[in-house]
Amino acid sequence: MKKTIRENMLLFSKERINNPNRYRLYFTTLGSLGDETPRVFRLLVRTPFSFNKFEIGRVYTLVYHKVHISEFKPGEMFNLQESHFATLMETRDIKFMDKKTSAALRSIESDRSSKDRYYSFEETREIINYTPDLLSRFAIGVFTFLLSGVAFLIPFLMYAYMLFLLIRGQLNLVGYSSKALVLPILGIGALPVTIFIMSVLFMISELALMRIEFTKWSVLKRYTLAWGGMRKSIFLEISDFKYLKKFGIVAASVLVVAVVVALIL
């Protein structure tokens, strides 16, 4: 099995996505930093343990087959200039950008510069290289789970209580009646609104986690890895409001139709 060995490989970006090529690492050769178009490599590791060992801004000696790294040796940290980092990110996007990131960037205002779209090199390094101790990771995980759980539980309990009231009313009916269709109609009609409320509460809970110092860095790290360094706002953006507006109109319309049909029956 033929292997490639490369030295002086600077890691400038990391990405964790939900598909088989899950753990992506973006390198450049130190010798090409001054070029108009620097050389950019996207290599993969198979486990989260290997992925977490790689640090943004560190120079590596790599051994890989095709695109999968089999061995690596860390070297010194390199202080990458912001102008070089911006060029590397632009080259990375031209060469490797996937549909998900492309769609997200299209939703951002056209007058926003690349500097506003992505974190700077120093910010990226600080966020992605952030590694809390085991006890802190456990505490952050529990707190995040509880807050996110509330966002799911409140709409779910409201929906379940509505179904309970409908079922209790249905049990009082004697014989067959068209009123028996009210339960499934309202149950289906209220489901989009329930999901809409969940979405709103999840967004709010995430923004709350971003504003709490204890959890902020973990949320930022997760987001930054998922979106390849894209900047995360601590406020709802215009694209979020547009999404919620469309979703809300559709959900409300479905509910109104269901209620009208139920009243007719």
Side-chain angles (χ1 to χ4, degrees):
M1 184 172 63
K2 184 178 179 181
K3 294 184 178 181
T4 302
I5 302 175
R6 290 189 182 274
E7 298 180 342
N8 297 323
M9 297 286 281
L10 172 64
L11 179 67
F12 68 92
S13 181
K14 297 174 69 174
E15 190 176 21
R16 183 174 58 211
I17 59 172
N18 294 319
N19 72 33
N21 297 327
R22 189 171 181 184
Y23 302 105
R24 297 173 173 175
L25 300 168
Y26 295 91
F27 296 89
T28 186
T29 55
L30 290 180
S32 70
L33 279 179
D35 297 345
E36 183 177 349
T37 304
R39 300 186 67 185
V40 171
F41 301 80
R42 182 169 73 185
L43 301 176
L44 311 176
V45 290
R46 300 182 187 277
T47 68
F49 307 103
S50 298
F51 183 75
N52 291 334
K53 289 181 179 179
F54 283 89
E55 297 179 278
I56 294 291
R58 190 171 293 281
V59 178
Y60 291 88
T61 297
L62 304 174
V63 179
Y64 58 94
H65 172 64
K66 293 185 178 178
V67 295
H68 285 94
I69 298 174
S70 56
E71 300 176 39
F72 63 93
K73 180 181 178 182
E76 74 278 5
M77 293 295 289
F78 186 86
N79 190 22
L80 185 63
Q81 295 181 20
E82 293 297 340
S83 58
H84 289 157
F85 180 67
T87 302
L88 287 170
M89 295 296 284
E90 182 179 353
T91 305
R92 184 203 70 172
D93 286 349
I94 292 173
K95 191 173 182 180
F96 297 113
M97 182 179 289
D98 54 32
K99 293 180 179 179
K100 180 190 75 168
T101 306
S102 178
L105 287 176
R106 284 197 301 271
S107 68
I108 299 174
E109 297 95 329
S110 58
D111 59 347
R112 181 179 289 191
S113 66
S114 60
K115 180 181 178 181
D116 296 321
R117 291 175 181 171
Y118 294 106
Y119 289 110
S120 67
F121 173 69
E122 288 300 327
E123 290 171 327
T124 302
R125 181 162 61 178
E126 185 177 11
I127 292 170
I128 294 184
N129 290 350
Y130 165 74
T131 306
D133 57 65
L134 183 60
L135 183 60
S136 296
R137 286 202 301 271
F138 176 77
I140 292 169
V142 171
F143 183 77
T144 302
F145 175 78
L146 291 175
L147 190 59
S148 300
V150 169
F152 169 81
L153 197 60
I154 291 177
F156 175 78
L157 290 177
M158 292 170 57
Y159 183 72
Y161 183 65
M162 183 204 73
L163 292 180
F164 167 75
L165 294 177
L166 289 172
I167 291 172
R168 189 169 65 175
Q170 293 284 304
L171 293 176
N172 293 329
L173 296 176
V174 178
Y176 174 78
S177 169
S178 60
K179 295 293 184 182
L181 298 175
V182 170
L183 174 61
I185 289 174
L186 289 182
I188 295 173
L191 189 58
V193 171
T194 303
I195 297 174
F196 171 76
I197 296 173
M198 285 182 181
S199 299
V200 172
L201 292 180
F202 270 120
M203 286 184 178
I204 293 174
S205 66
E206 186 176 63
L207 293 178
L209 290 170
M210 290 264 308
R211 292 172 177 270
I212 301 172
E213 190 65 27
F214 177 61
T215 56
K216 179 177 77 172
W217 293 103
S218 291
V219 175
L220 283 176
K221 181 173 182 178
R222 184 172 66 249
Y223 182 90
T224 304
L225 288 174
W227 291 95
M230 195 180 296
R231 189 176 290 274
K232 173 67 173 174
S233 174
I234 62 173
F235 305 99
L236 289 178
E237 297 185 344
I238 293 177
S239 58
D240 296 320
F241 284 110
K242 288 181 179 179
Y243 167 77
L244 291 176
K245 181 180 178 180
K246 291 179 181 178
F247 192 178
I249 291 174
V250 172
S253 300
V254 173
L255 180 60
V256 169
V257 171
V259 171
V260 171
V261 173
L263 290 174
I264 293 174
L265 294 175

